[in-house]
Amino acid sequence: MTMKFRNYILSATVSLSLASCQKFLEVQPKESVSDEQTIFDVTSATEAVRGIYNAFANGSYYGTSFQSIGYLSGDNVQWTGSQSQVQEFINHNVRSDNSTISAAWGQIYVAINRANNVIDKVPTLQDPHFSEDNKNQLLGEAYFLRALAYFDLVRTWGGVPLILKPTLTATDNSGVARSTKQETYAQVLNDLNKAEALLPASTNRYRATAKTVWALKSRYYLYQGDWAKAESYATKVISDVTNYQLKSPYNSFFANGARGTVESVFEIYYNGTTETNGHGGQWLPQTLGGTRQWAPNDAFVALANNATIGGNRSALVAKDNQNRWYGTLYPSTTSSASYVIRIAELFLIRAEARAQQNLLTGASGALFDLNAVRARAGLDASTATTQADVLLAIENERRVEFAFEPHRWFDLVRTNRAAAVLGVTDTTKYILPLPSQQVLLDPALKQNPGYN
């Protein structure tokens, strides 16, 4: 961790008003307090947890930058604007001085530091108004969010410095070396296990609960190749048919200002005034207030508009007044939601996990889940029969289903398909370079192989 970065953590401040603690799980996320804010009672602890969510909502994390790494590096998007560093992701030739990776790296560690403050201080609070249930709730959320942050770091950069205590001064964490990829993933699981033990199995689409933990555990085990556990945790969420459903038609979870639908397991909310998200501005054309810095490429437009592949997911693309295609998933320049986990992902995780176990047909087979997602898109059942064909069908379904969400690049890397699909044969490109400024300022922070 560099001095400049540590100073950045300490200076990241936003103010917030607080709803009552009793309604904490019933309201949408608000803004944060400073990382330096003293946590001394139930009110300040609640505000501090809101601050973690706000760090995730930031434009440098799930607002835009981190999400764009996942989809620009795939094969669905073209660069159309003036930010030349965007093309580095599309060309799979990302430089260590790329501003997007620098912004994402820094903001993810801001989120981690805020979580560390809560994890460090909440257990020691003696506020008589702070019930054990409330304390467990806040602590569980902090563990979940730290797990998600480290999960995003490790799948993007490999092993990273594991900072598990609050950064309070400019000299804290100086000289902390990177942990291995395995150690970083182990920390993710450790935090998820702690979160699961502390959180109630309630339903909330904006705040972490045990169900949110199950969903991320399912994704975690998919990345680890533990198919049985990936299937099991996906099932725990999918089985709650009252609260989680594939919402039809496809665009009904994001069109016309839709928020927090049964499609969402975990999404980030923006009200468009005090909490804004400019992600849509990168996608929308000028006539809708955007800059259209990037757009669906011709290959994806063809897939989306193919009635046998895209189905009603053709709603992901539209034409502007100049007959140019643009993406519609983020329909507002100020308040589009960020979708972190959708129920469709759990269906396709379970489908892949079952296919890897050669469980293909029947109500407990991969095709059952794959076809559920296809049916929601208005498509006929898959004709795949062999294990290899079913796995390819799932890969192709994920490409269209999550076209503009941060999945495609990570999917192709984790399945060792980036070379075959994208032509990226240099495996050092499968993880991104650490920001050059951080490496230059801290000798303990070693750059990834293949980068300067």
Side-chain angles (χ1 to χ4, degrees):
M1 205 67 56
T2 68
M3 181 172 292
K4 180 175 180 180
F5 171 64
R6 287 189 297 272
N7 287 338
Y8 174 60
I9 288 179
L10 292 173
S11 64
T13 62
V14 192
S15 62
L16 150 84
S17 61
L18 172 71
S20 70
C21 182
Q22 289 74 17
K23 293 187 176 293
F24 177 67
L25 287 178
E26 301 171 14
V27 297
Q28 291 148 339
K30 302 295 181 185
E31 295 168 319
S32 74
V33 295
S34 166
D35 296 332
E36 297 174 284
Q37 172 78 27
T38 301
I39 300 175
F40 58 90
D41 61 6
V42 62
T43 299
S44 57
T46 303
E47 290 189 22
V49 171
R50 294 189 191 282
I52 313 173
Y53 285 99
N54 181 265
F56 277 78
N58 187 277
S60 293
Y61 197 179
Y62 273 96
T64 303
S65 293
F66 176 75
Q67 295 220 66
S68 72
I69 290 171
Y71 57 67
L72 290 173
S73 303
D75 48 3
N76 292 326
V77 181
Q78 62 176 318
W79 170 56
T80 63
S82 58
Q83 299 172 1
S84 60
Q85 55 99 25
V86 171
Q87 190 69 35
E88 295 179 14
F89 295 101
I90 295 172
N91 292 344
H92 306 105
N93 189 29
V94 181
R95 294 164 49 96
S96 60
D97 61 356
N98 184 287
S99 61
T100 296
I101 63 167
S102 179
W105 172 278
Q107 187 59 32
I108 294 173
Y109 271 108
V110 168
I112 288 170
N113 192 55
R114 293 184 182 183
N116 286 343
N117 274 281
V118 172
I119 291 168
D120 186 65
K121 296 172 183 175
V122 164
T124 66
L125 296 182
Q126 301 299 317
D127 185 347
H129 303 292
F130 205 172
S131 71
E132 198 65 22
D133 286 345
N134 272 346
K135 187 176 290 189
N136 288 343
Q137 176 70 53
L138 299 183
L139 196 57
E141 289 183 86
Y143 277 119
F144 168 82
L145 292 168
R146 190 171 74 177
L148 177 57
Y150 275 119
F151 182 84
D152 289 338
L153 283 170
V154 68
R155 63 177 173 155
T156 306
W157 286 281
V160 297
L162 292 176
I163 308 302
L164 305 177
K165 290 291 183 180
T167 298
L168 301 175
T169 72
T171 57
D172 285 356
N173 307 317
S174 178
V176 177
R178 298 174 65 179
S179 296
T180 65
K181 179 179 178 180
Q182 293 73 22
E183 289 167 340
T184 308
Y185 270 122
Q187 182 61 48
V188 172
L189 183 58
N190 184 55
D191 280 349
L192 287 175
N193 286 338
K194 289 179 178 177
E196 185 177 14
L198 291 165
L199 292 169
S202 54
T203 302
N204 193 295
R205 308 188 197 282
Y206 305 111
R207 301 280 182 178
T209 71
K211 294 176 186 178
T212 326
V213 176
W214 299 338
L216 186 55
K217 272 193 167 185
S218 180
R219 185 193 289 176
Y220 168 88
Y221 283 118
L222 184 78
Y223 274 67
Q224 301 307 305
D226 190 331
W227 314 122
K229 287 183 179 177
E231 176 188 6
S232 174
Y233 277 103
T235 298
K236 287 168 76 71
V237 184
I238 293 170
S239 296
D240 185 358
V241 295
T242 299
N243 292 299
Y244 304 108
Q245 301 168 27
L246 292 164
K247 190 169 174 58
S248 298
Y250 176 82
N251 72 341
S252 60
F253 73 86
F254 66 86
N256 302 316
R259 310 284 183 87
T261 71
V262 291
E263 176 77 26
S264 283
V265 179
F266 181 42
E267 72 178 61
I268 299 174
Y269 173 88
Y270 305 83
N271 63 22
T273 54
T274 57
E275 305 132 6
T276 60
N277 183 12
H279 195 183
Q282 305 297 319
W283 286 98
L284 297 174
Q286 290 83 349
T287 53
L288 296 176
T291 59
R292 194 176 171 268
Q293 286 287 324
W294 46 72
N297 60 25
D298 292 343
F300 181 75
V301 169
L303 290 174
N305 288 321
N306 185 324
T308 65
I309 297 174
N312 58 41
R313 290 177 299 209
S314 60
L316 277 170
V317 297
K319 284 186 176 181
D320 68 5
N321 64 342
Q322 299 180 53
N323 208 36
R324 303 176 304 174
W325 291 101
Y326 65 91
T328 64
L329 182 62
Y330 308 102
S332 169
T333 59
T334 60
S335 61
S336 296
S338 295
Y339 304 102
V340 183
I341 308 174
R342 294 195 284 114
I343 193 63
E345 182 186 355
L346 278 298
F347 273 96
L348 291 176
I349 286 176
R350 192 170 71 173
E352 186 174 339
R354 287 173 167 177
Q356 290 286 3
Q357 297 172 86
N358 209 24
L359 304 170
L360 304 181
T361 60
S364 297
L367 287 168
F368 179 88
D369 291 324
L370 173 60
N371 289 332
V373 174
R374 290 178 61 82
R376 187 271 289 276
L379 299 173
D380 294 335
S382 172
T383 58
T385 55
T386 68
Q387 183 185 43
D389 287 346
V390 171
L391 285 169
L392 182 58
I394 294 167
E395 177 186 296
N396 291 335
E397 205 68 37
R398 288 180 67 97
R399 177 183 181 181
V400 181
E401 180 70 26
F402 309 120
F404 306 146
E405 296 167 77
H407 291 285
R408 179 64 171 171
W409 168 246
F410 298 117
D411 282 345
L412 295 175
V413 169
R414 69 175 174 80
T415 58
N416 296 313
R417 291 271 294 155
V421 176
L422 302 176
V424 184
T425 57
D426 182 354
T427 57
T428 64
K429 302 298 184 184
Y430 292 177
I431 53 176
L432 296 185
L434 274 62
S436 58
Q437 205 167 38
Q438 304 301 319
V439 175
L440 287 171
L441 291 172
D442 191 343
L445 197 59
K446 302 300 182 182
Q447 183 58 274
N448 279 324
Y451 297 102
N452 295 321

